[in-house]
Amino acid sequence: MRTNQARFTVATEPIDPGVDPEADPPGPPGARGRGGSRRSRHGVLAVVAAGGAIGTGARYGAILLWPAADGSFPWTTLAVNAAGCLLIGVLLVVLTEAWAAPSWVRPFLATGVLGGFTTFSTYCLDIERLVSAGRPGLAFGYLAATVLAALAAVVAGTWTTRRLLAKRARTTGTARTRSARRRAR
């Protein structure tokens, strides 16, 4: 690299070779072996699919328990998306700052279970149904409320989890979280 060229990095988090099929596995460089990359992708796909089945089943159950009448505000989908975003905020802080989990946990829980539980497709379908029912104002309100609720939920989950982890570390005198160790360096 020339000295006048800027260095850019794309990843903002450490790359987990168990999740990222493009990352080199442990061992000598380029020692992927025959089919190693394919096996790791299939393993990740399997845990995401298993988690997705659980998450979509839970979402379907919520919609069966609390159905919305045609043309009414889809409270259940809004609540499911907000709850899922809150849990994603909590989970990702725990996985990145407090717990060295096995490599399959994040794709199973975050992408699979919570990705299947939250739903962009039903959200869009709900908006289309409200517009078709002659309720564009309600559709726009739902569109905005879902985005705001999801963002607020993930921020609340992240913020609260970090505070609880810091409080636990102070009261128990145990090791600090990963982010606190990084800041201390």
Side-chain angles (χ1 to χ4, degrees), residues 24 26 30 36 38 70 87 96 101 104-105 131 134 142 149 156-157 162-163 172 177:
D24 282 332
R38 186 174 305 146
D70 288 341
L87 292 173
T96 59
W104 60 268
V105 172
V131 169
Y142 172 61
R162 283 190 175 132
R163 297 306 170 272
T172 62
T177 63

Side-chain angles (χ1 to χ4, degrees), residues 76-182:
T76 304
T77 306
L78 175 71
V80 161
N81 284 336
C85 287
L86 177 79
L87 292 173
I88 285 171
V90 170
L91 177 69
L92 291 180
V93 168
V94 169
L95 291 178
T96 59
E97 298 179 18
W99 180 37
S103 62
W104 60 268
V105 172
R106 185 165 58 181
F108 174 73
L109 292 175
T111 307
V113 175
L114 294 175
F117 184 63
T118 58
T119 172
F120 187 73
S121 58
T122 303
Y123 165 65
C124 291
L125 183 61
D126 288 341
I127 292 168
E128 188 276 327
R129 286 179 179 160
L130 288 170
V131 169
S132 294
R135 312 222 33 213
L138 190 59
F140 181 75
Y142 172 61
L143 182 138
T146 299
V147 171
L148 292 173
L151 289 172
V154 78
V155 168
T158 301
W159 185 85
T160 303
T161 305
R162 283 190 175 132
R163 297 306 170 272
L164 290 173
L165 288 173
K167 181 179 179 182
R168 187 184 103 194
R170 281 192 310 272
T171 59
T172 62
T174 59
R176 296 177 287 180
T177 63
R178 286 186 200 169
S179 63
R181 286 191 300 266
R182 276 189 294 235

